[in-house]
Amino acid sequence: MDQRNGSSFSGFILLGFSDRPHLELVLFVVLLIFYVFTLLGNTAIIVLSHLDAHLHTPMYFFLSNLSFLDLCYTTSIVPQLLVNLSGADKSISYGGCVFQLYISLGLGCTECLLLGVMALDRYAAVCRPLHYTVIMHLRLCALMASASWLIGFANSLLQTVLIFLLPLCGRNKLDHFLCEIPPLLRLACVDTSANESELFVVSFIILLIPVSLIILSYSQILRTVFGIKSAAGQRKAFGTCGSHLTVVSLFYGTAIYTYFQPNNRSAQNQGKFISLFYTIITPMINPLIYTLRNKDVKGAMKRVLWKACDSC
């Protein structure tokens, strides 16, 4: 088999944080705790959204989609990272790397689009409250969510095929903790300017267009909220929309930095730590952000627990 082909060796070595061995044990413990909380928090939202009739609304339909996505996203990355940090094995098979890139990139792209769709939902709820149920009907919600998943994984398939068609000339040391496009591009032994240009255009579409849509939606939301005379109504609107804006800022900010950062050593090292935010930290804090001050979710949790206790 041609030694220039990436599949000619058994896999890749994920260097991860091996240049900072004193941090690996700390990161292992912290990320294990984060992962457990991610599983518990997002599972709780999915279960509550399914069991409580009060949460059978477009907002919680999209939120349960987001929680399921985050569960899959972190699971596609964290177990491999924990093995890497434990020092037992820093390798990943060629097929495993292809699978991880396809799944994690597909889920990441889907989340970008889904957050944009959720901004439209918030716009309809705040700016068109009398027509909300007519505008955001179940069929439209299902269509927008399905389109987000379809586009996200279609783009991931394209990017995965393009990146693994590049000859790697036997290079297999990946300076990252997961298989991601920017570090994989740096392994190629040919000119990657065409791939970088294509990635820039796709990243602009997947990242910046939804961000622009979110900004436009929230500019209209703010105008409407400031027009509400009731202080209680303003607080409720700001509470609901503020949660979404916090998630958007954390996820998009770190993802944009990763895919539009300069290609130098300092940026690469920073990129590994920045990637921790949108791959691990954001999925963990999403449930807290959306539920900590959310009376609907707290009420649903009490009702579900009461029912469980009554049935005992």
Side-chain angles (χ1 to χ4, degrees), residues 115-123 126-127 210-226 237-248 290:
L115 287 172
V117 169
M118 291 174 73
L120 291 177
D121 172 66
R122 293 299 83 210
Y123 166 79
V126 176
C127 301
V211 168
S212 302
L213 182 63
I214 291 167
I215 292 172
L216 287 173
S217 297
Y218 275 98
S219 64
Q220 294 300 314
I221 288 172
L222 286 174
R223 288 178 58 185
T224 302
V225 170
F226 285 127
F238 275 126
T240 303
C241 297
S243 301
H244 182 249
L245 272 178
T246 303
V247 172
V248 165
Y290 279 111

PDB file of all heavy atoms in Angstrom, residues 115-123 126-127 210-226 237-248 290:
ATOM      1  N   LEU A 115     -28.948  26.239  17.210  1.00  0.00           N
ATOM      2  CA  LEU A 115     -28.965  27.455  18.033  1.00  0.00           C
ATOM      3  C   LEU A 115     -29.556  28.630  17.254  1.00  0.00           C
ATOM      4  O   LEU A 115     -30.242  29.480  17.828  1.00  0.00           O
ATOM      5  CB  LEU A 115     -27.554  27.791  18.514  1.00  0.00           C
ATOM      6  CG  LEU A 115     -26.982  26.876  19.606  1.00  0.00           C
ATOM      7  CD1 LEU A 115     -25.511  27.175  19.852  1.00  0.00           C
ATOM      8  CD2 LEU A 115     -27.770  27.019  20.899  1.00  0.00           C
ATOM      9  N   GLY A 116     -29.292  28.662  15.942  1.00  0.00           N
ATOM     10  CA  GLY A 116     -29.915  29.686  15.105  1.00  0.00           C
ATOM     11  C   GLY A 116     -31.415  29.515  15.013  1.00  0.00           C
ATOM     12  O   GLY A 116     -32.184  30.485  15.084  1.00  0.00           O
ATOM     13  N   VAL A 117     -31.863  28.266  14.885  1.00  0.00           N
ATOM     14  CA  VAL A 117     -33.304  27.967  14.841  1.00  0.00           C
ATOM     15  C   VAL A 117     -33.970  28.351  16.157  1.00  0.00           C
ATOM     16  O   VAL A 117     -35.079  28.895  16.176  1.00  0.00           O
ATOM     17  CB  VAL A 117     -33.519  26.464  14.542  1.00  0.00           C
ATOM     18  CG1 VAL A 117     -34.970  26.071  14.768  1.00  0.00           C
ATOM     19  CG2 VAL A 117     -33.107  26.145  13.109  1.00  0.00           C
ATOM     20  N   MET A 118     -33.285  28.105  17.276  1.00  0.00           N
ATOM     21  CA  MET A 118     -33.834  28.454  18.583  1.00  0.00           C
ATOM     22  C   MET A 118     -33.990  29.960  18.745  1.00  0.00           C
ATOM     23  O   MET A 118     -34.895  30.430  19.451  1.00  0.00           O
ATOM     24  CB  MET A 118     -32.954  27.877  19.695  1.00  0.00           C
ATOM     25  CG  MET A 118     -33.007  26.361  19.782  1.00  0.00           C
ATOM     26  SD  MET A 118     -31.831  25.649  20.982  1.00  0.00           S
ATOM     27  CE  MET A 118     -32.622  26.100  22.528  1.00  0.00           C
ATOM     28  N   ALA A 119     -33.114  30.730  18.100  1.00  0.00           N
ATOM     29  CA  ALA A 119     -33.254  32.186  18.138  1.00  0.00           C
ATOM     30  C   ALA A 119     -34.526  32.620  17.415  1.00  0.00           C
ATOM     31  O   ALA A 119     -35.221  33.555  17.854  1.00  0.00           O
ATOM     32  CB  ALA A 119     -32.029  32.851  17.502  1.00  0.00           C
ATOM     33  N   LEU A 120     -34.852  31.945  16.302  1.00  0.00           N
ATOM     34  CA  LEU A 120     -36.108  32.241  15.594  1.00  0.00           C
ATOM     35  C   LEU A 120     -37.316  31.915  16.469  1.00  0.00           C
ATOM     36  O   LEU A 120     -38.312  32.645  16.475  1.00  0.00           O
ATOM     37  CB  LEU A 120     -36.176  31.441  14.291  1.00  0.00           C
ATOM     38  CG  LEU A 120     -35.197  31.829  13.185  1.00  0.00           C
ATOM     39  CD1 LEU A 120     -35.356  30.890  11.990  1.00  0.00           C
ATOM     40  CD2 LEU A 120     -35.420  33.267  12.744  1.00  0.00           C
ATOM     41  N   ASP A 121     -37.214  30.814  17.203  1.00  0.00           N
ATOM     42  CA  ASP A 121     -38.291  30.435  18.119  1.00  0.00           C
ATOM     43  C   ASP A 121     -38.489  31.499  19.191  1.00  0.00           C
ATOM     44  O   ASP A 121     -39.624  31.882  19.506  1.00  0.00           O
ATOM     45  CB  ASP A 121     -37.970  29.092  18.765  1.00  0.00           C
ATOM     46  CG  ASP A 121     -38.948  28.725  19.870  1.00  0.00           C
ATOM     47  OD1 ASP A 121     -40.129  28.503  19.544  1.00  0.00           O
ATOM     48  OD2 ASP A 121     -38.532  28.677  21.038  1.00  0.00           O
ATOM     49  N   ARG A 122     -37.384  32.001  19.757  1.00  0.00           N
ATOM     50  CA  ARG A 122     -37.480  33.053  20.776  1.00  0.00           C
ATOM     51  C   ARG A 122     -38.049  34.344  20.188  1.00  0.00           C
ATOM     52  O   ARG A 122     -38.800  35.062  20.837  1.00  0.00           O
ATOM     53  CB  ARG A 122     -36.111  33.326  21.400  1.00  0.00           C
ATOM     54  CG  ARG A 122     -35.540  32.204  22.237  1.00  0.00           C
ATOM     55  CD  ARG A 122     -36.431  31.852  23.429  1.00  0.00           C
ATOM     56  NE  ARG A 122     -37.517  30.948  23.067  1.00  0.00           N
ATOM     57  CZ  ARG A 122     -38.693  30.904  23.649  1.00  0.00           C
ATOM     58  NH1 ARG A 122     -38.981  31.731  24.631  1.00  0.00           N
ATOM     59  NH2 ARG A 122     -39.623  30.054  23.269  1.00  0.00           N
ATOM     60  N   TYR A 123     -37.681  34.643  18.934  1.00  0.00           N
ATOM     61  CA  TYR A 123     -38.212  35.829  18.260  1.00  0.00           C
ATOM     62  C   TYR A 123     -39.728  35.720  18.121  1.00  0.00           C
ATOM     63  O   TYR A 123     -40.466  36.669  18.428  1.00  0.00           O
ATOM     64  CB  TYR A 123     -37.568  35.984  16.880  1.00  0.00           C
ATOM     65  CG  TYR A 123     -38.292  36.970  15.984  1.00  0.00           C
ATOM     66  CD1 TYR A 123     -38.102  38.341  16.138  1.00  0.00           C
ATOM     67  CD2 TYR A 123     -39.164  36.518  15.000  1.00  0.00           C
ATOM     68  CE1 TYR A 123     -38.787  39.253  15.330  1.00  0.00           C
ATOM     69  CE2 TYR A 123     -39.845  37.415  14.191  1.00  0.00           C
ATOM     70  CZ  TYR A 123     -39.654  38.779  14.358  1.00  0.00           C
ATOM     71  OH  TYR A 123     -40.341  39.669  13.563  1.00  0.00           O
ATOM     72  N   VAL A 126     -41.492  36.097  21.633  1.00  0.00           N
ATOM     73  CA  VAL A 126     -41.476  37.428  22.253  1.00  0.00           C
ATOM     74  C   VAL A 126     -42.124  38.486  21.368  1.00  0.00           C
ATOM     75  O   VAL A 126     -42.896  39.329  21.853  1.00  0.00           O
ATOM     76  CB  VAL A 126     -40.028  37.845  22.607  1.00  0.00           C
ATOM     77  CG1 VAL A 126     -39.980  39.272  23.160  1.00  0.00           C
ATOM     78  CG2 VAL A 126     -39.422  36.867  23.609  1.00  0.00           C
ATOM     79  N   CYS A 127     -41.828  38.429  20.087  1.00  0.00           N
ATOM     80  CA  CYS A 127     -42.295  39.487  19.175  1.00  0.00           C
ATOM     81  C   CYS A 127     -43.648  39.187  18.535  1.00  0.00           C
ATOM     82  O   CYS A 127     -44.334  40.104  18.077  1.00  0.00           O
ATOM     83  CB  CYS A 127     -41.256  39.725  18.079  1.00  0.00           C
ATOM     84  SG  CYS A 127     -39.630  40.207  18.708  1.00  0.00           S
ATOM     85  N   PRO A 210     -25.541  31.772  10.941  1.00  0.00           N
ATOM     86  CA  PRO A 210     -26.443  31.640  12.095  1.00  0.00           C
ATOM     87  C   PRO A 210     -26.235  32.718  13.148  1.00  0.00           C
ATOM     88  O   PRO A 210     -27.199  33.195  13.759  1.00  0.00           O
ATOM     89  CB  PRO A 210     -26.093  30.252  12.651  1.00  0.00           C
ATOM     90  CG  PRO A 210     -25.580  29.494  11.476  1.00  0.00           C
ATOM     91  CD  PRO A 210     -24.823  30.509  10.674  1.00  0.00           C
ATOM     92  N   VAL A 211     -24.976  33.121  13.374  1.00  0.00           N
ATOM     93  CA  VAL A 211     -24.710  34.191  14.332  1.00  0.00           C
ATOM     94  C   VAL A 211     -25.385  35.488  13.888  1.00  0.00           C
ATOM     95  O   VAL A 211     -25.991  36.205  14.699  1.00  0.00           O
ATOM     96  CB  VAL A 211     -23.189  34.411  14.511  1.00  0.00           C
ATOM     97  CG1 VAL A 211     -22.911  35.704  15.258  1.00  0.00           C
ATOM     98  CG2 VAL A 211     -22.575  33.247  15.270  1.00  0.00           C
ATOM     99  N   SER A 212     -25.295  35.788  12.588  1.00  0.00           N
ATOM    100  CA  SER A 212     -25.948  36.991  12.055  1.00  0.00           C
ATOM    101  C   SER A 212     -27.461  36.919  12.241  1.00  0.00           C
ATOM    102  O   SER A 212     -28.107  37.910  12.600  1.00  0.00           O
ATOM    103  CB  SER A 212     -25.617  37.158  10.568  1.00  0.00           C
ATOM    104  OG  SER A 212     -24.220  37.246  10.361  1.00  0.00           O
ATOM    105  N   LEU A 213     -28.013  35.732  12.007  1.00  0.00           N
ATOM    106  CA  LEU A 213     -29.448  35.520  12.198  1.00  0.00           C
ATOM    107  C   LEU A 213     -29.839  35.717  13.665  1.00  0.00           C
ATOM    108  O   LEU A 213     -30.870  36.335  13.970  1.00  0.00           O
ATOM    109  CB  LEU A 213     -29.820  34.105  11.746  1.00  0.00           C
ATOM    110  CG  LEU A 213     -31.301  33.704  11.833  1.00  0.00           C
ATOM    111  CD1 LEU A 213     -32.145  34.578  10.923  1.00  0.00           C
ATOM    112  CD2 LEU A 213     -31.466  32.243  11.462  1.00  0.00           C
ATOM    113  N   ILE A 214     -29.000  35.232  14.558  1.00  0.00           N
ATOM    114  CA  ILE A 214     -29.247  35.383  15.990  1.00  0.00           C
ATOM    115  C   ILE A 214     -29.201  36.848  16.387  1.00  0.00           C
ATOM    116  O   ILE A 214     -30.045  37.347  17.149  1.00  0.00           O
ATOM    117  CB  ILE A 214     -28.232  34.562  16.804  1.00  0.00           C
ATOM    118  CG1 ILE A 214     -28.497  33.061  16.618  1.00  0.00           C
ATOM    119  CG2 ILE A 214     -28.283  34.924  18.283  1.00  0.00           C
ATOM    120  CD1 ILE A 214     -27.393  32.173  17.124  1.00  0.00           C
ATOM    121  N   ILE A 215     -28.222  37.575  15.877  1.00  0.00           N
ATOM    122  CA  ILE A 215     -28.090  39.003  16.206  1.00  0.00           C
ATOM    123  C   ILE A 215     -29.308  39.781  15.722  1.00  0.00           C
ATOM    124  O   ILE A 215     -29.859  40.619  16.443  1.00  0.00           O
ATOM    125  CB  ILE A 215     -26.796  39.583  15.589  1.00  0.00           C
ATOM    126  CG1 ILE A 215     -25.571  38.984  16.289  1.00  0.00           C
ATOM    127  CG2 ILE A 215     -26.775  41.107  15.694  1.00  0.00           C
ATOM    128  CD1 ILE A 215     -24.254  39.337  15.640  1.00  0.00           C
ATOM    129  N   LEU A 216     -29.751  39.484  14.495  1.00  0.00           N
ATOM    130  CA  LEU A 216     -30.941  40.166  13.955  1.00  0.00           C
ATOM    131  C   LEU A 216     -32.183  39.835  14.789  1.00  0.00           C
ATOM    132  O   LEU A 216     -32.990  40.717  15.099  1.00  0.00           O
ATOM    133  CB  LEU A 216     -31.166  39.755  12.499  1.00  0.00           C
ATOM    134  CG  LEU A 216     -30.196  40.327  11.466  1.00  0.00           C
ATOM    135  CD1 LEU A 216     -30.432  39.706  10.098  1.00  0.00           C
ATOM    136  CD2 LEU A 216     -30.364  41.850  11.372  1.00  0.00           C
ATOM    137  N   SER A 217     -32.334  38.553  15.154  1.00  0.00           N
ATOM    138  CA  SER A 217     -33.490  38.141  15.949  1.00  0.00           C
ATOM    139  C   SER A 217     -33.505  38.853  17.290  1.00  0.00           C
ATOM    140  O   SER A 217     -34.535  39.377  17.734  1.00  0.00           O
ATOM    141  CB  SER A 217     -33.475  36.626  16.164  1.00  0.00           C
ATOM    142  OG  SER A 217     -33.592  35.936  14.944  1.00  0.00           O
ATOM    143  N   TYR A 218     -32.351  38.905  17.942  1.00  0.00           N
ATOM    144  CA  TYR A 218     -32.297  39.504  19.269  1.00  0.00           C
ATOM    145  C   TYR A 218     -32.359  41.024  19.253  1.00  0.00           C
ATOM    146  O   TYR A 218     -32.752  41.639  20.252  1.00  0.00           O
ATOM    147  CB  TYR A 218     -31.075  38.994  20.032  1.00  0.00           C
ATOM    148  CG  TYR A 218     -31.360  37.679  20.713  1.00  0.00           C
ATOM    149  CD1 TYR A 218     -30.977  36.475  20.141  1.00  0.00           C
ATOM    150  CD2 TYR A 218     -32.071  37.642  21.910  1.00  0.00           C
ATOM    151  CE1 TYR A 218     -31.275  35.267  20.750  1.00  0.00           C
ATOM    152  CE2 TYR A 218     -32.376  36.444  22.520  1.00  0.00           C
ATOM    153  CZ  TYR A 218     -31.970  35.260  21.944  1.00  0.00           C
ATOM    154  OH  TYR A 218     -32.295  34.069  22.542  1.00  0.00           O
ATOM    155  N   SER A 219     -31.970  41.635  18.155  1.00  0.00           N
ATOM    156  CA  SER A 219     -32.154  43.088  18.054  1.00  0.00           C
ATOM    157  C   SER A 219     -33.646  43.426  18.042  1.00  0.00           C
ATOM    158  O   SER A 219     -34.086  44.404  18.677  1.00  0.00           O
ATOM    159  CB  SER A 219     -31.466  43.631  16.794  1.00  0.00           C
ATOM    160  OG  SER A 219     -32.074  43.100  15.615  1.00  0.00           O
ATOM    161  N   GLN A 220     -34.433  42.593  17.354  1.00  0.00           N
ATOM    162  CA  GLN A 220     -35.885  42.780  17.348  1.00  0.00           C
ATOM    163  C   GLN A 220     -36.487  42.410  18.706  1.00  0.00           C
ATOM    164  O   GLN A 220     -37.416  43.069  19.189  1.00  0.00           O
ATOM    165  CB  GLN A 220     -36.517  41.917  16.251  1.00  0.00           C
ATOM    166  CG  GLN A 220     -36.140  42.319  14.836  1.00  0.00           C
ATOM    167  CD  GLN A 220     -36.569  43.748  14.512  1.00  0.00           C
ATOM    168  OE1 GLN A 220     -37.697  44.154  14.799  1.00  0.00           O
ATOM    169  NE2 GLN A 220     -35.664  44.509  13.917  1.00  0.00           N
ATOM    170  N   ILE A 221     -35.952  41.372  19.330  1.00  0.00           N
ATOM    171  CA  ILE A 221     -36.442  40.959  20.647  1.00  0.00           C
ATOM    172  C   ILE A 221     -36.224  42.068  21.676  1.00  0.00           C
ATOM    173  O   ILE A 221     -37.110  42.381  22.480  1.00  0.00           O
ATOM    174  CB  ILE A 221     -35.754  39.652  21.094  1.00  0.00           C
ATOM    175  CG1 ILE A 221     -36.275  38.472  20.263  1.00  0.00           C
ATOM    176  CG2 ILE A 221     -35.970  39.387  22.586  1.00  0.00           C
ATOM    177  CD1 ILE A 221     -35.521  37.176  20.485  1.00  0.00           C
ATOM    178  N   LEU A 222     -35.028  42.690  21.652  1.00  0.00           N
ATOM    179  CA  LEU A 222     -34.723  43.758  22.600  1.00  0.00           C
ATOM    180  C   LEU A 222     -35.667  44.947  22.427  1.00  0.00           C
ATOM    181  O   LEU A 222     -36.123  45.542  23.412  1.00  0.00           O
ATOM    182  CB  LEU A 222     -33.266  44.205  22.439  1.00  0.00           C
ATOM    183  CG  LEU A 222     -32.206  43.244  22.983  1.00  0.00           C
ATOM    184  CD1 LEU A 222     -30.811  43.732  22.643  1.00  0.00           C
ATOM    185  CD2 LEU A 222     -32.349  43.104  24.505  1.00  0.00           C
ATOM    186  N   ARG A 223     -35.938  45.276  21.184  1.00  0.00           N
ATOM    187  CA  ARG A 223     -36.874  46.376  20.930  1.00  0.00           C
ATOM    188  C   ARG A 223     -38.240  46.057  21.514  1.00  0.00           C
ATOM    189  O   ARG A 223     -38.884  46.915  22.121  1.00  0.00           O
ATOM    190  CB  ARG A 223     -36.994  46.630  19.428  1.00  0.00           C
ATOM    191  CG  ARG A 223     -35.770  47.276  18.795  1.00  0.00           C
ATOM    192  CD  ARG A 223     -35.949  47.455  17.304  1.00  0.00           C
ATOM    193  NE  ARG A 223     -37.130  48.269  16.993  1.00  0.00           N
ATOM    194  CZ  ARG A 223     -37.573  48.498  15.761  1.00  0.00           C
ATOM    195  NH1 ARG A 223     -36.928  47.944  14.722  1.00  0.00           N
ATOM    196  NH2 ARG A 223     -38.621  49.245  15.550  1.00  0.00           N
ATOM    197  N   THR A 224     -38.678  44.823  21.350  1.00  0.00           N
ATOM    198  CA  THR A 224     -39.988  44.415  21.869  1.00  0.00           C
ATOM    199  C   THR A 224     -39.992  44.388  23.394  1.00  0.00           C
ATOM    200  O   THR A 224     -40.943  44.848  24.036  1.00  0.00           O
ATOM    201  CB  THR A 224     -40.365  43.024  21.325  1.00  0.00           C
ATOM    202  OG1 THR A 224     -40.377  43.064  19.896  1.00  0.00           O
ATOM    203  CG2 THR A 224     -41.732  42.597  21.826  1.00  0.00           C
ATOM    204  N   VAL A 225     -38.917  43.844  23.980  1.00  0.00           N
ATOM    205  CA  VAL A 225     -38.842  43.726  25.440  1.00  0.00           C
ATOM    206  C   VAL A 225     -38.847  45.093  26.112  1.00  0.00           C
ATOM    207  O   VAL A 225     -39.530  45.306  27.117  1.00  0.00           O
ATOM    208  CB  VAL A 225     -37.584  42.922  25.850  1.00  0.00           C
ATOM    209  CG1 VAL A 225     -37.356  43.014  27.362  1.00  0.00           C
ATOM    210  CG2 VAL A 225     -37.732  41.464  25.437  1.00  0.00           C
ATOM    211  N   PHE A 226     -38.093  46.024  25.547  1.00  0.00           N
ATOM    212  CA  PHE A 226     -38.047  47.363  26.140  1.00  0.00           C
ATOM    213  C   PHE A 226     -39.379  48.098  25.990  1.00  0.00           C
ATOM    214  O   PHE A 226     -39.635  49.081  26.687  1.00  0.00           O
ATOM    215  CB  PHE A 226     -36.919  48.185  25.525  1.00  0.00           C
ATOM    216  CG  PHE A 226     -35.557  47.789  26.018  1.00  0.00           C
ATOM    217  CD1 PHE A 226     -34.550  47.470  25.117  1.00  0.00           C
ATOM    218  CD2 PHE A 226     -35.282  47.722  27.379  1.00  0.00           C
ATOM    219  CE1 PHE A 226     -33.294  47.098  25.563  1.00  0.00           C
ATOM    220  CE2 PHE A 226     -34.024  47.344  27.834  1.00  0.00           C
ATOM    221  CZ  PHE A 226     -33.029  47.040  26.923  1.00  0.00           C
ATOM    222  N   ALA A 237     -38.915  37.696  29.941  1.00  0.00           N
ATOM    223  CA  ALA A 237     -38.357  37.668  28.585  1.00  0.00           C
ATOM    224  C   ALA A 237     -36.842  37.649  28.614  1.00  0.00           C
ATOM    225  O   ALA A 237     -36.189  36.883  27.895  1.00  0.00           O
ATOM    226  CB  ALA A 237     -38.857  38.875  27.794  1.00  0.00           C
ATOM    227  N   PHE A 238     -36.252  38.490  29.478  1.00  0.00           N
ATOM    228  CA  PHE A 238     -34.799  38.525  29.581  1.00  0.00           C
ATOM    229  C   PHE A 238     -34.250  37.211  30.138  1.00  0.00           C
ATOM    230  O   PHE A 238     -33.185  36.749  29.722  1.00  0.00           O
ATOM    231  CB  PHE A 238     -34.353  39.678  30.492  1.00  0.00           C
ATOM    232  CG  PHE A 238     -34.233  41.002  29.778  1.00  0.00           C
ATOM    233  CD1 PHE A 238     -34.913  42.110  30.251  1.00  0.00           C
ATOM    234  CD2 PHE A 238     -33.440  41.129  28.656  1.00  0.00           C
ATOM    235  CE1 PHE A 238     -34.805  43.335  29.595  1.00  0.00           C
ATOM    236  CE2 PHE A 238     -33.319  42.346  27.990  1.00  0.00           C
ATOM    237  CZ  PHE A 238     -34.016  43.445  28.466  1.00  0.00           C
ATOM    238  N   GLY A 239     -34.976  36.590  31.076  1.00  0.00           N
ATOM    239  CA  GLY A 239     -34.530  35.324  31.653  1.00  0.00           C
ATOM    240  C   GLY A 239     -34.469  34.216  30.625  1.00  0.00           C
ATOM    241  O   GLY A 239     -33.490  33.481  30.536  1.00  0.00           O
ATOM    242  N   THR A 240     -35.534  34.113  29.814  1.00  0.00           N
ATOM    243  CA  THR A 240     -35.591  33.062  28.794  1.00  0.00           C
ATOM    244  C   THR A 240     -34.568  33.303  27.692  1.00  0.00           C
ATOM    245  O   THR A 240     -33.822  32.401  27.299  1.00  0.00           O
ATOM    246  CB  THR A 240     -36.999  32.994  28.183  1.00  0.00           C
ATOM    247  OG1 THR A 240     -37.948  32.763  29.221  1.00  0.00           O
ATOM    248  CG2 THR A 240     -37.089  31.873  27.172  1.00  0.00           C
ATOM    249  N   CYS A 241     -34.520  34.528  27.190  1.00  0.00           N
ATOM    250  CA  CYS A 241     -33.626  34.840  26.073  1.00  0.00           C
ATOM    251  C   CYS A 241     -32.177  34.937  26.527  1.00  0.00           C
ATOM    252  O   CYS A 241     -31.256  34.628  25.769  1.00  0.00           O
ATOM    253  CB  CYS A 241     -34.054  36.146  25.410  1.00  0.00           C
ATOM    254  SG  CYS A 241     -35.708  36.072  24.690  1.00  0.00           S
ATOM    255  N   GLY A 242     -31.970  35.390  27.776  1.00  0.00           N
ATOM    256  CA  GLY A 242     -30.611  35.504  28.295  1.00  0.00           C
ATOM    257  C   GLY A 242     -29.915  34.160  28.363  1.00  0.00           C
ATOM    258  O   GLY A 242     -28.711  34.047  28.111  1.00  0.00           O
ATOM    259  N   SER A 243     -30.664  33.103  28.694  1.00  0.00           N
ATOM    260  CA  SER A 243     -30.090  31.751  28.748  1.00  0.00           C
ATOM    261  C   SER A 243     -29.564  31.333  27.380  1.00  0.00           C
ATOM    262  O   SER A 243     -28.452  30.823  27.246  1.00  0.00           O
ATOM    263  CB  SER A 243     -31.149  30.748  29.227  1.00  0.00           C
ATOM    264  OG  SER A 243     -31.628  31.087  30.496  1.00  0.00           O
ATOM    265  N   HIS A 244     -30.372  31.570  26.357  1.00  0.00           N
ATOM    266  CA  HIS A 244     -29.974  31.207  25.001  1.00  0.00           C
ATOM    267  C   HIS A 244     -28.768  32.018  24.548  1.00  0.00           C
ATOM    268  O   HIS A 244     -27.835  31.481  23.939  1.00  0.00           O
ATOM    269  CB  HIS A 244     -31.151  31.426  24.037  1.00  0.00           C
ATOM    270  CG  HIS A 244     -30.852  31.036  22.630  1.00  0.00           C
ATOM    271  ND1 HIS A 244     -30.727  31.960  21.611  1.00  0.00           N
ATOM    272  CD2 HIS A 244     -30.637  29.827  22.051  1.00  0.00           C
ATOM    273  CE1 HIS A 244     -30.453  31.331  20.488  1.00  0.00           C
ATOM    274  NE2 HIS A 244     -30.400  30.049  20.724  1.00  0.00           N
ATOM    275  N   LEU A 245     -28.749  33.311  24.861  1.00  0.00           N
ATOM    276  CA  LEU A 245     -27.629  34.169  24.463  1.00  0.00           C
ATOM    277  C   LEU A 245     -26.325  33.745  25.138  1.00  0.00           C
ATOM    278  O   LEU A 245     -25.253  33.818  24.537  1.00  0.00           O
ATOM    279  CB  LEU A 245     -27.939  35.626  24.803  1.00  0.00           C
ATOM    280  CG  LEU A 245     -28.687  36.436  23.740  1.00  0.00           C
ATOM    281  CD1 LEU A 245     -28.959  37.843  24.244  1.00  0.00           C
ATOM    282  CD2 LEU A 245     -27.906  36.478  22.435  1.00  0.00           C
ATOM    283  N   THR A 246     -26.422  33.298  26.382  1.00  0.00           N
ATOM    284  CA  THR A 246     -25.226  32.839  27.096  1.00  0.00           C
ATOM    285  C   THR A 246     -24.630  31.612  26.420  1.00  0.00           C
ATOM    286  O   THR A 246     -23.419  31.529  26.199  1.00  0.00           O
ATOM    287  CB  THR A 246     -25.571  32.502  28.558  1.00  0.00           C
ATOM    288  OG1 THR A 246     -26.151  33.644  29.178  1.00  0.00           O
ATOM    289  CG2 THR A 246     -24.332  32.084  29.323  1.00  0.00           C
ATOM    290  N   VAL A 247     -25.485  30.655  26.070  1.00  0.00           N
ATOM    291  CA  VAL A 247     -25.035  29.445  25.376  1.00  0.00           C
ATOM    292  C   VAL A 247     -24.426  29.801  24.022  1.00  0.00           C
ATOM    293  O   VAL A 247     -23.369  29.284  23.638  1.00  0.00           O
ATOM    294  CB  VAL A 247     -26.207  28.459  25.199  1.00  0.00           C
ATOM    295  CG1 VAL A 247     -25.808  27.291  24.303  1.00  0.00           C
ATOM    296  CG2 VAL A 247     -26.677  27.946  26.545  1.00  0.00           C
ATOM    297  N   VAL A 248     -25.107  30.688  23.287  1.00  0.00           N
ATOM    298  CA  VAL A 248     -24.629  31.123  21.972  1.00  0.00           C
ATOM    299  C   VAL A 248     -23.244  31.748  22.072  1.00  0.00           C
ATOM    300  O   VAL A 248     -22.344  31.441  21.282  1.00  0.00           O
ATOM    301  CB  VAL A 248     -25.627  32.119  21.343  1.00  0.00           C
ATOM    302  CG1 VAL A 248     -24.994  32.852  20.177  1.00  0.00           C
ATOM    303  CG2 VAL A 248     -26.881  31.388  20.884  1.00  0.00           C
ATOM    304  N   TYR A 290     -29.972  26.755  31.189  1.00  0.00           N
ATOM    305  CA  TYR A 290     -31.373  26.750  30.771  1.00  0.00           C
ATOM    306  C   TYR A 290     -32.350  26.448  31.911  1.00  0.00           C
ATOM    307  O   TYR A 290     -33.528  26.776  31.813  1.00  0.00           O
ATOM    308  CB  TYR A 290     -31.582  25.716  29.665  1.00  0.00           C
ATOM    309  CG  TYR A 290     -31.184  26.214  28.296  1.00  0.00           C
ATOM    310  CD1 TYR A 290     -30.085  25.684  27.645  1.00  0.00           C
ATOM    311  CD2 TYR A 290     -31.901  27.225  27.662  1.00  0.00           C
ATOM    312  CE1 TYR A 290     -29.719  26.142  26.384  1.00  0.00           C
ATOM    313  CE2 TYR A 290     -31.541  27.679  26.409  1.00  0.00           C
ATOM    314  CZ  TYR A 290     -30.446  27.137  25.776  1.00  0.00           C
ATOM    315  OH  TYR A 290     -30.085  27.595  24.536  1.00  0.00           O
TER     316      TYR A 290
END
